[in-house]
């Protein structure tokens, strides 16, 4: 049995493609073509060249000495924070825009919450000279003004979405609506391992460069090509998916996923989808979803915009259901404390999302010889105000 996707687009009972009739052709075209494109020599050549010269890969695997002393294990940080545009998201957008071009598409749409995926998409659209429309909840447009300005400077059109809570879920609904209206010329670049098949698999493959590099880097540093633990935060699951991809069926490697507890999983103000979600369908895939008794999606909450999503990728739902991964809920205050700790111990200010992965460390028990790789998915520049304001309250 494998934890990777099966030929029908499922991970166990999760995944699939639950889409409106009007998108059927777009989605099946993509299902039929994505693997052939991604595995082609011309794609691989251009993708790898861009990852190296434009994104700045390989990202370093850094031995965090003082953090290791604190937690009593050998802790390495996979430094996705050092990528162009400040996070892992660019690995995916660089890949998907090349897929779009191979398929002859001329117009790109995307959804964004905090604006990180929007900026990463607008960036590659500028690079490839493609039209770019980004849907963003009106609440987020106000909260994330700098990213809105960046997207505009990059030449994208940012459309504020006024429905629902005016956040990520509503922006995604609107992007799907746009796609339904322009199925022929438009490619939808999804920002995480969510959405109908083949998106979760395509995004995981494009992010799998993270674990491909970990294999080589940990071999060089530890003389074996696998760690004992992999730790990553999960919103939709793309940085975690990339971190575990080449180890997913290797049971020597323990997988720990940190989801956003918000104020606490019993408070009603949380985004801990695996702890609280029930099986349902959201944005084209079957997975765990935070929903009411009668199936209405409930509004999630996390201090971290990138983890504030009521769903989770089907790959991760399946890993959790079969106990392949241990899932820990890390609350706002624990993530903030972990961010300050990394800053003071290692001189690295992490993104708030990544701080949730770091917040898993105090909840775990290690042996001194354990080799731990923790992915720092992004840098904290965008979160400085949140960090500074948190203790003022
Ligand atoms: C968007 C984002 C996340 C969450 O998304 P995943 O798809 O779960 O990785 C995590 N970290 C950073 C820095 C992000 O920008």
């Amino acid at each position: 049995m494998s934890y990777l996707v099966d030929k029908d687009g499922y991970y166990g009972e999760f995944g699939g493609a639950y889409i409106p009739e009007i998108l059927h052709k777009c989605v099946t075209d993509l299902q039929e073509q994505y693997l052939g494109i991604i595995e082609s020599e011309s794609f691989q050549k251009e993708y790898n060249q861009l990852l190296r010269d434009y994104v700045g890969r390989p990202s370093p695997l850094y031995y965090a000495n003082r953090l290791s002393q604190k937690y009593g294990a050998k802790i390495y940080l996979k430094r996705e924070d050092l990528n162009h545009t400040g996070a892992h998201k660019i690995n995916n957008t660089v890949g998907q825009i090349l897929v779009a071009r191979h398929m002859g598409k001329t117009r790109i749409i995307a959804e964004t919450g905090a604006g990180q995926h929007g900026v990463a998409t607008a960036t590659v659209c500028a690079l490839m000279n493609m039209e770019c429309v980004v849907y963003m909840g009106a609440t987020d447009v106000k909260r994330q003004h700098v990213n809105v300005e960046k997207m505009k400077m990059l030449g994208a059109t940012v459309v504020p979405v006024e429905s629902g809570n005016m956040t990520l879920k509503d922006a995604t609904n609107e992007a799907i609506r746009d796609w339904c209206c322009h199925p022929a010329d438009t490619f939808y670049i999804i920002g995480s391992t969510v959405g109908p098949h083949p998106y979760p698999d395509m995004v995981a493959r494009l992010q799998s460069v993270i674990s491909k590099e970990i294999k080589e880097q940990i071999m060089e540093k530890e003389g074996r090509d696998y760690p004992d633990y992999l730790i990553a935060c999960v919103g939709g699951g793309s940085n975690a998916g990339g971190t575990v991809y080449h180890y997913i069926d290797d049971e020597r490697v323990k997988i720990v996923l940190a989801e956003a507890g918000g104020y606490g999983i019993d408070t009603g103000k949380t985004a801990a989808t695996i702890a609280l979600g029930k099986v349902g369908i959201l944005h084209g895939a079957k997975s765990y979803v935070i929903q009411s008794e009668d199936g209405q999606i409930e509004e999630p909450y996390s201090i971290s915009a990138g983890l504030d999503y009521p769903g989770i990728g089907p790959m991760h739902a399946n890993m959790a259901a079969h106990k392949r991964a241990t899932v820990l809920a890390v609350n706002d205050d624990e993530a903030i404390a972990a961010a300050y700790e990394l800053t003071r111990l290692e001189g690295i200010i992490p993104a708030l999302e990544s701080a949730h992965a770091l917040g898993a460390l105090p909840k775990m028990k290690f042996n001194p010889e354990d080799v731990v790789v923790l992915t720092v998915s992004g840098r904290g520049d965008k979160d400085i105000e949140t960090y500074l304001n948190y203790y003022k309250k």
Side-chain angles (χ1 to χ4, degrees), residues 86-89 116 191-193 233-240 306-307 351 353-354 377-379 382:
H88 66 292
K89 291 213 167 70
Q116 296 301 105
S192 191
T193 44
C233 66
V234 259
S238 68
N239 87 88
L307 303 182
E353 293 83 6
S354 321
S377 53
R379 65 178 85 126
K382 67 184 177 55

Side-chain angles (χ1 to χ4, degrees), residues 23 29 35-36 53 64 73 82 93 111 142 198 203 349 364:
L23 288 180
D29 281 353
L35 275 182
D53 299 335
L82 296 177
T93 58
E111 83 296 336
K142 283 200 203 93
V203 175
I349 304 179
M364 297 172 63

Side-chain angles (χ1 to χ4, degrees), residues 61-80:
L61 185 70
Y62 165 69
Y63 178 66
N65 190 26
R66 295 185 65 209
L67 193 70
S68 295
Q69 280 171 15
K70 165 105 204 218
Y71 289 103
K74 296 191 207 171
I75 303 177
Y76 290 88
L77 303 178
K78 184 59 174 160
R79 299 288 310 275
E80 294 301 301

Side-chain angles (χ1 to χ4, degrees), residues 109-111 135-136 159-163 168-180 188 283:
I109 58 171
E111 83 296 336
Y135 290 92
M136 187 170 188
V159 181
V161 175
E162 310 274 355
S163 60
L168 177 59
K169 165 176 70 63
D170 315 294
T172 307
N173 290 338
E174 212 48 43
I176 292 172
R177 233 164 263 149
D178 176 311
W179 202 21
C180 290
Y188 180 13
H283 299 140

